[in-house]
Amino acid sequence: MKYANADLHHYVIEKTCEIQQIPAPTFAETKRSEYLFNEFTRLGLKDVSQDETGNVYASWPGSGEGCLVVSAHLDTVHSGDTPLALKRSRERITGPGVGDNSLGVATLLGIGRYLADARADLGGRIWLVGDVCEEGLGNLAGMQAVVQRFGEQAVAYLILEGLGLGQICHRGLGVLRYRVTVETTGGHPWSNYGMPSAIHELVAVLSAVTALPIPRKPRTSLNVGVIQGGASVNTIASKAWFELDLRSEDHMTLTLLANRIKRVVKKQVRPGVGLIVEPIGSRPAGEIEPSHPLVKLAVDVLAELNIKAILEIGSTDANYALSKGYPAICLGITNGRFSHTLKEYIEVAPVKTGLEQILQILHRVWEALG
């Protein structure tokens, strides 16, 4: 039986476009939270509320025990003043944040509309959650609050992302982030020439850090995404810093790499040069096996929709639930490209298949998880 009809497809597409036009940078998702709260209420869902973190909740009752949590993050990587230009055609919708994660949030509304229209009893209570602080330095604060609220009461956590139809992310990629700061006295580039410059010292530190060998197995990465410092071209810089992102499939490998970097930085300390390594972010690792009933259900549903499943590892909201030992997967709704850029786009037609995937899982998850 098919559940995602043309009307529901059209509804989700229109809501995606509305949501994309609402700025929602990490830590400033208020307007989008208010929108979702009002839409949940308009649909007639139950228990519509907002917690102190900013997460928005709604539920639909079922006759069985326990609950299923379905979530999508509200925030986007783009700043509040980013122009939210939107370009639509029959095949594509292009605009910053349209796939990550306007479509994911719109899918929550699509699920809510389906449940309300069908008056469906899927076996247990369904909780729909728009959560905050998934991107950047949000450190999954919203999802932490969600998992702390439901814990093991939830039979599973189903995370929605707009992009990546066919991918089943059942492994959480561990992430550690640091800010490395250099401080010196600074001064005038002529009269104080020879005094240490924070920028010069930072470059030396950065060179030493990036010279470290990075393991290929388990797959591991190191990236410096931000570097700042100095006051003017004619000033010996007194302060400079960079932000470092470390990732690994293996928790121990990630920890060892972080410790090596701290030792390398410490070796750069000398008189007149202060160095600080400050943790600014962490995403815990975790996983469920490919043989887990939740993963197998998602694989089977995709196969029935003629889509070959790709089992993935990634840094998503699923990380936190997985790290606590709870079953969780992250699923995509459609195809697209250029995520996190102004040219981001989604393909319109596959959205219907992505919706059908989610609704099929909702109808079958209680039986699959026993």
Side-chain angles (χ1 to χ4, degrees):
M1 181 177 179
K2 299 291 186 181
Y3 304 107
N5 57 30
D7 181 62
L8 188 63
H9 181 208
H10 176 74
Y11 172 82
V12 169
I13 292 298
E14 293 304 312
K15 290 303 176 184
T16 298
C17 295
E18 290 180 16
I19 293 165
Q20 188 271 344
Q21 289 292 292
I22 305 171
T26 306
F27 306 119
E29 303 97 334
T30 302
K31 291 182 179 179
R32 197 170 283 188
S33 294
E34 291 174 352
Y35 171 90
L36 188 61
F37 185 100
N38 292 334
E39 291 298 311
F40 277 162
T41 303
R42 188 174 291 113
L43 288 170
L45 301 178
K46 312 300 181 184
D47 308 305
V48 180
S49 64
Q50 186 170 8
D51 66 16
E52 293 181 357
T53 312
N55 299 329
V56 180
Y57 300 82
S59 78
W60 189 256
S63 56
E65 296 183 0
C67 65
L68 174 70
V69 176
V70 186
S71 73
H73 69 87
L74 295 166
D75 57 330
T76 173
V77 299
H78 302 287
S79 64
D81 58 359
T82 300
L84 297 176
L86 190 69
K87 182 180 178 181
R88 299 183 63 172
S89 70
R90 181 175 297 180
E91 294 80 21
R92 290 182 179 181
I93 303 174
T94 303
V98 68
D100 187 9
N101 194 29
S102 300
L103 176 55
V105 178
T107 300
L108 286 180
L109 294 175
I111 295 168
R113 178 170 175 173
Y114 169 79
L115 294 172
D117 287 350
R119 312 301 293 177
D121 182 347
L122 303 185
R125 184 172 292 272
I126 306 291
W127 279 97
L128 304 178
V129 186
D131 65 279
V132 299
C133 294
E134 191 273 346
E135 299 286 7
L137 296 179
N139 292 328
L140 309 185
M143 185 50 60
Q144 289 186 46
V146 173
V147 173
Q148 287 164 10
R149 173 173 174 171
F150 295 107
E152 62 184 13
Q153 297 175 40
V155 296
Y157 294 83
L158 186 59
I159 314 302
L160 306 181
E161 287 281 353
L163 299 175
L165 177 60
Q167 295 180 1
I168 303 171
C169 189
H170 66 105
R171 301 166 62 204
L173 182 66
V175 180
L176 292 174
R177 291 168 174 155
Y178 297 91
R179 180 178 291 119
V180 179
T181 303
V182 178
E183 294 181 333
T184 65
T185 302
H188 191 279
W190 179 256
S191 56
N192 298 117
Y193 180 70
M195 296 290 289
S197 162
I199 290 178
H200 296 187
E201 300 296 328
L202 189 76
V203 170
V205 171
L206 186 53
S207 178
V209 167
T210 55
L212 288 172
I214 305 301
R216 291 188 177 184
K217 289 186 178 182
R219 185 179 172 189
T220 305
S221 69
L222 178 156
N223 181 67
V224 175
V226 178
I227 183 167
Q228 293 187 10
S232 68
V233 69
N234 60 333
T235 302
I236 296 174
S238 61
K239 187 174 183 179
W241 51 269
F242 64 80
E243 289 182 350
L244 181 66
D245 178 286
L246 308 175
R247 304 182 182 219
S248 182
E249 296 176 328
D250 178 69
H251 174 74
M252 183 60 68
T253 301
L254 183 64
T255 301
L256 291 173
L257 177 60
N259 289 337
R260 287 170 63 199
I261 287 171
K262 291 173 186 176
R263 291 195 294 270
V264 166
V265 171
K266 188 175 181 180
K267 288 181 180 179
Q268 304 297 315
V269 175
R270 62 187 182 87
V273 179
L275 277 157
I276 302 170
V277 180
E278 173 190 5
I280 58 173
S282 174
R283 293 185 177 217
E287 65 180 89
I288 53 176
E289 294 296 322
S291 58
H292 191 282
L294 182 62
V295 179
K296 292 177 67 177
L297 173 60
V299 170
D300 290 345
V301 167
L302 284 168
E304 292 167 15
L305 296 171
N306 298 313
I307 296 176
K308 182 177 174 59
I310 301 172
L311 301 187
E312 275 284 7
I313 184 171
S315 177
T316 73
D317 266 333
N319 278 49
Y320 193 74
L322 290 169
S323 75
K324 295 298 181 181
Y326 303 133
I329 55 174
C330 181
L331 300 172
I333 306 301
T334 191
N335 304 314
R337 290 188 65 192
F338 306 127
S339 180
H340 289 196
T341 75
L342 301 182
K343 298 188 295 181
E344 181 176 329
Y345 74 81
I346 61 171
E347 296 177 7
V348 173
V351 170
K352 187 176 180 181
T353 304
L355 287 170
E356 184 64 34
Q357 163 201 216
I358 303 302
L359 295 178
Q360 288 284 349
I361 290 173
L362 263 58
H363 272 271
R364 296 155 62 174
V365 69
W366 304 99
E367 181 181 359
L369 298 181

